[in-house]
């Protein structure tokens, strides 16, 4: 099939991790024998056209321009028409719903091209803050022939504005080719200064409030009282420097600064080292300010390395963590339960191994990008 894939967010030279999951989806769709081209935005260091992993990428508007949204719509429509003149397009796929979805969907109907929408159901996509936006969102969901949701939680979020007969769930996946540790667990733990027998708790996350890192920090003092031989590593950065500063200040006020390490942003191979070295993985996802967790790929990544996972109940986390089998899902407001769960895993190595083993098996059996691509293509080929 010839597929034209459109996404406002895609990896750029200045930030290769932003939208990397979109590129991974496209890469594995292509590997299934399909011709895929991408239309997206560009940063100052990017060219108008490039090839990444064999994928043709057309960058049609500057992502940092104040008129980026309008320019993206205008230039993306023009590029679709241009490509359509020389190539037969079987499907137009768009990742993320927005105003552009309406115009692209209308063009697809005019050109009689099959149009499918993929949504993460994020607050960024679903802006219902005024009647005009609500109208555009409803139109955006009405135009595609199929709507692919990244989780059952995402499907539930859009169920009141979308025809349920058009909705399908295809979970985001994991790229096992990229998530490869560069060092052994023992070597990396030694480099981190973790002593023999010391428990390493890990969070990999954006430092935004919906990830609930403040909730985890607040649980750590009581955990330390019963088991002080631990280190808590937080890998990731915030949208602003203030996000990290607030969490560092909280750790200081709680008197646990010596137990907590803020590691900042890491490349994929480094992330693999952290996952591989930790004993327990935790992110306390929560609904806050209209933000929910659309899926939670970090849970899947931790499970891939055979680690027990503690997650917060929010949006699509129930797809990523099988409660009681690969880890535990907890209400982020239940601080006592969070403490008890962390302590239970600290004190029971066999339980950690059991949950981790089940999680790894689950990921390998259905949460790799190549499997996600297969599911998506099967849905596309359905009449």
């Amino acid at each position: 099939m010839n597929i034209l894939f459109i996404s406002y967010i895609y990896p750029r030279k200045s930030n290769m991790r932003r939208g990397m999951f979109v590129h991974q989806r496209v890469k594995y769709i292509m590997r299934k024998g399909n011709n895929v081209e991408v239309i997206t935005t560009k940063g100052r260091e990017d060219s108008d056209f490039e090839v990444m992993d064999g994928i043709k990428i057309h960058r049609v508007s500057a992502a940092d321009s104040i008129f980026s949204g309008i320019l993206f719509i205008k230039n993306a429509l023009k590029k679709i028409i241009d490509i359509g003149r020389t190539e037969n397009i079987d499907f137009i796929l768009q990742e993320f719903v927005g105003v552009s979805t309406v115009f692209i969907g209308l063009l697809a109907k005019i050109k009689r091209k099959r149009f499918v929408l993929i949504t993460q159901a994020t607050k960024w996509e679903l802006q219902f803050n005024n009647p005009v936006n609500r109208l555009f969102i409803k139109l955006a969901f009405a135009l595609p022939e199929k709507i692919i949701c990244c989780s059952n939680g995402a499907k539930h979020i859009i169920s009141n504005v979308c025809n349920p007969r058009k909705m399908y769930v295809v979970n985001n996946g994991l790229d096992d080719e990229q998530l490869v540790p560069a060092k052994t667990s023992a070597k990396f733990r030694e480099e981190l200064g973790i002593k023999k027998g010391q428990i390493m708790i890990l969070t990999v996350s954006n430092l935004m409030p919906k990830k609930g890192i403040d909730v985890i920090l607040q649980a750590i003092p009581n955990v330390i009282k019963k088991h002080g031989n631990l280190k808590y590593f937080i890998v990731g950065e915030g949208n602003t420097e203030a996000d990290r500063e607030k969490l560092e200040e909280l750790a200081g006020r709680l008197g646990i600064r010596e137990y907590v390490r803020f590691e900042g942003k890491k490349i994929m191979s480094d992330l693999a080292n952290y996952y591989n070295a930790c004993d327990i993985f935790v992110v306390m996802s929560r609904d806050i300010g209209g933000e929910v967790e659309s899926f939670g790929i970090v849970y899947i990544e931790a499970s891939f390395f055979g680690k027990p996972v503690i997650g917060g109940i929010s949006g699509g986390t129930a797809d990523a963590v099988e409660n009681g089998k690969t880890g535990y899902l907890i209400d982020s407001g239940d601080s006592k339960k969070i403490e008890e769960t962390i302590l239970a895993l600290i004190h029971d190595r066999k339980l950690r191994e059991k949950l981790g083993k089940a999680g790894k098996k689950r990921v390998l059996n259905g949460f790799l990008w190549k499997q996600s691509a297969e599911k998506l293509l099967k849905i596309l080929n359905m009449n």
Side-chain angles (χ1 to χ4, degrees):
M1 290 190 295
N2 293 321
I3 299 173
L4 193 54
F5 202 101
I6 302 164
S7 178
Y8 187 82
I9 296 175
Y10 209 78
R12 304 197 303 266
K13 288 181 180 178
S14 60
N15 189 348
M16 288 301 294
R17 290 202 64 200
R18 182 170 171 78
M20 178 53 74
F21 75 94
V22 183
H23 175 69
Q24 290 168 337
R25 189 194 307 281
V26 173
K27 181 173 72 174
Y28 282 95
I29 290 173
M30 185 191 70
R31 288 189 180 180
K32 295 296 178 181
N34 303 286
N35 177 48
V36 189
E37 295 187 45
V38 174
I39 296 175
T40 187
T41 55
K42 67 176 181 179
R44 294 178 181 178
E45 300 175 356
D46 298 310
S47 303
D48 292 340
F49 176 79
E50 66 178 292
V51 177
M52 185 189 307
D53 291 330
I55 301 162
K56 297 177 182 178
I57 301 171
H58 307 270
R59 298 190 182 272
V60 299
S61 67
D64 53 0
S65 166
I66 59 172
F67 302 109
S68 60
I70 296 172
L71 289 173
F72 179 73
I73 294 171
K74 173 180 173 292
N75 295 338
L77 293 176
K78 183 178 184 300
K79 182 58 69 174
I80 293 170
I81 293 170
D82 290 344
I83 293 173
R85 289 193 181 110
T86 58
E87 300 176 30
N88 179 40
I89 302 170
D90 297 305
F91 279 96
I92 298 174
L93 267 64
Q94 183 176 11
E95 183 100 35
F96 303 113
V97 62
V99 175
S100 63
T101 310
V102 176
F103 292 94
I104 292 167
L106 289 172
L107 179 62
K109 283 192 175 296
I110 293 170
K111 295 293 184 179
R112 297 183 179 179
K113 301 299 180 183
R114 300 182 70 180
F115 179 48
V116 173
L117 177 63
I118 303 172
T119 178
Q120 307 292 314
T122 62
K123 183 182 178 182
W124 175 76
E125 295 177 82
L126 308 179
Q127 298 186 25
F128 296 110
N129 53 334
N130 63 62
V132 175
N133 281 350
R134 287 195 290 272
L135 176 61
F136 269 105
I137 294 299
K138 287 184 178 181
L139 282 172
F141 282 123
L143 289 166
E145 67 173 74
K146 295 181 176 71
I147 296 168
I148 311 299
C149 306
C150 70
S151 67
N152 284 288
K155 181 180 179 181
H156 175 73
I157 290 169
I158 66 171
S159 60
N160 63 334
V161 291
C162 181
N163 182 346
R165 288 177 295 180
K166 298 201 303 183
M167 297 164 65
Y168 301 84
V169 174
V170 178
N171 295 129
N172 292 340
L174 177 148
D175 192 341
D176 56 336
E177 293 179 0
Q178 286 197 345
L179 205 60
V180 179
K183 301 172 183 177
T184 66
S185 173
K187 177 64 176 176
F188 192 62
R189 285 173 69 98
E190 180 183 347
E191 291 180 5
L192 292 175
I194 300 174
K195 300 174 183 177
K196 186 176 181 179
Q198 198 167 40
I199 293 293
M200 177 181 172
I201 301 172
L202 175 66
T203 292
V204 175
S205 172
N206 183 298
L207 306 186
M208 64 175 63
K210 80 169 185 177
K211 300 298 184 178
I213 298 172
D214 57 323
V215 175
I216 303 167
L217 288 171
Q218 289 163 2
I220 293 296
N222 286 335
V223 172
I224 291 171
K225 287 178 183 178
K226 297 181 180 179
H227 187 98
N229 193 23
L230 64 83
K231 286 285 185 181
Y232 175 35
F233 288 80
I234 301 170
V235 176
E237 61 183 7
N239 294 328
T240 66
E241 290 183 7
D243 293 329
R244 175 168 171 168
E245 289 172 358
K246 288 177 182 178
L247 293 172
E248 289 179 330
E249 289 171 4
L250 176 59
R253 291 198 306 272
L254 293 169
I256 58 172
R257 198 63 187 87
E258 64 180 293
Y259 295 91
V260 181
R261 290 259 302 267
F262 288 85
E263 299 291 277
K265 179 181 177 182
K266 299 294 178 182
I267 61 174
M268 192 63 73
S269 60
D270 283 338
L271 282 181
N273 287 330
Y274 281 95
Y275 283 126
N276 195 41
C278 78
D279 297 294
I280 300 167
F281 182 82
V282 55
V283 176
M284 201 46 53
S285 302
R286 59 184 173 183
D287 300 351
I288 185 169
E291 289 273 9
V292 301
E293 188 69 76
S294 57
F295 177 61
I297 192 63
V298 291
Y299 298 124
I300 294 298
E301 289 175 346
S303 288
F304 176 70
F305 284 96
K307 307 301 176 178
V309 174
I310 303 173
I313 299 172
S314 174
T317 57
D319 281 27
V321 182
E322 195 168 6
N323 191 34
K325 294 185 178 180
T326 67
Y328 300 103
L329 289 173
I330 303 171
D331 185 335
S332 62
D334 192 344
S335 58
K336 185 66 176 176
K337 185 66 174 177
I338 297 168
E339 295 166 16
E340 290 174 349
T341 305
I342 293 174
L343 283 167
L345 290 175
I346 286 175
H347 293 144
D348 193 337
R349 180 174 180 174
K350 288 185 178 180
L351 177 60
R352 297 200 302 269
E353 291 174 348
K354 177 184 176 183
L355 295 170
K357 183 178 180 181
K360 185 176 182 68
K361 181 179 179 181
R362 184 169 182 257
V363 171
L364 292 175
N365 286 341
F367 287 87
L368 301 179
W369 270 122
K370 57 187 175 184
Q371 295 155 343
S372 178
E374 287 173 359
K375 293 175 186 175
L376 177 57
L377 289 168
K378 184 177 180 179
I379 292 168
L380 294 185
N381 286 316
M382 291 169 55
N383 293 325

